[in-house]
Amino acid sequence: MFFMKSIYRIKQLILVVGDIFSYYIALFLALWVRHLELPTFFDMQTHQYLFAWTMFFWIIINYINGLYDFSRMGDRKKFFRQFLETAFISLFVGIIFFYIIPSTNITPKRILVLTILFGYTLSALWRLFAIHLIGGIKTLRTNILFIGNTKEITELTKLLQNFPERGYHVAALIDPDQTSHSPKSKHI
């Protein structure tokens, strides 16, 4: 059981790391679009300190809203609606954060909006890629063996095959009622 939980946490960590990269790339793109030139190292450093805190809060908001929960990723329409709602909540939290902090030499109104827009777009694209990546890596999949062939097992097998992003793979189905000399049997 511990092994299965640790694999699940590794999958979640992969998504978190991808989100962090997405948000930093988004900050770079937002500065580029806002100033219409490539941001300098000084520009990135100046904005990075404040945005690191907002990005930290965004990761927490993502976790609270279930964006790292693989069981919620099955229904893509519902998941991306939830993703959009989380982006708006993150924007609201970012606005509150920049109003609460003491006066700084930057006022990142447009940069905040652009970073949210680019960041959550890149994060959504990252998720589409990561779901296939995580579902395809054999070491991150949990193999399952079913013994017996009931209606419930058949239903569960179809469910697991339809949602590979959950990380479960039906390795075998042993049906003791099946005769062993049947060459057309798909069961073991």
Side-chain angles (χ1 to χ4, degrees):
M1 188 67 168
F2 173 75
F3 180 70
M4 288 175 54
K5 268 194 174 224
S6 64
I7 287 178
Y8 189 79
R9 295 295 180 214
I10 290 170
K11 292 177 192 179
Q12 287 179 321
L13 185 63
I14 290 171
L15 289 181
V16 169
V17 170
D19 282 351
I20 292 169
F21 279 120
S22 298
Y23 298 150
Y24 274 102
I25 291 169
L27 177 60
F28 178 82
L29 292 173
L31 288 170
W32 189 4
V33 168
R34 174 66 178 101
H35 299 296
L36 297 175
E37 62 183 25
L38 286 174
T40 64
F41 178 75
F42 179 74
D43 289 337
M44 282 298 292
Q45 191 175 20
T46 304
H47 287 82
Q48 183 263 333
Y49 176 73
L50 290 174
F51 274 92
W53 283 104
T54 58
M55 291 175 194
F56 174 73
F57 291 127
W58 296 346
I59 297 293
I60 292 171
I61 292 167
N62 291 351
Y63 184 79
I64 290 170
N65 286 337
L67 294 185
Y68 302 119
D69 185 1
F70 285 91
S71 65
R72 293 184 181 187
M73 293 183 191
D75 184 3
R76 289 184 193 253
K77 184 178 177 182
K78 185 177 177 183
F79 181 73
F80 282 110
R81 191 183 109 245
Q82 183 179 10
F83 209 80
L84 189 60
E85 290 170 358
T86 304
F88 281 115
I89 293 168
S90 295
L91 176 63
F92 182 70
V93 167
I95 290 169
I96 290 172
F97 176 76
F98 284 113
Y99 273 107
I100 290 175
I101 62 167
S103 179
T104 62
N105 58 349
I106 61 171
T107 54
K109 295 175 215 116
R110 290 186 192 131
I111 295 171
L112 175 64
V113 172
L114 289 171
T115 303
I116 290 278
L117 180 71
F118 291 140
Y120 275 90
T121 300
L122 290 171
S123 183
L125 294 173
W126 160 244
R127 282 208 174 18
L128 291 174
F129 174 73
I131 287 170
H132 294 293
L133 175 76
I134 290 170
I137 298 175
K138 290 184 180 182
T139 57
L140 293 178
R141 286 191 313 198
T142 303
N143 290 322
I144 298 175
L145 167 69
F146 288 112
I147 299 176
N149 192 9
T150 64
K151 185 176 107 178
E152 291 83 9
I153 289 177
T154 304
E155 187 178 316
L156 186 58
T157 302
K158 287 180 185 177
L159 179 74
L160 293 174
Q161 289 171 345
N162 289 336
F163 298 106
E165 66 270 5
R166 293 186 179 177
Y168 295 104
H169 175 258
V170 179
L173 174 63
I174 299 174
D175 187 359
D177 296 334
Q178 231 11 310
T179 58
S180 63
H181 64 275
S182 175
K184 295 182 182 179
S185 174
K186 293 183 181 180
H187 305 289
I188 295 177

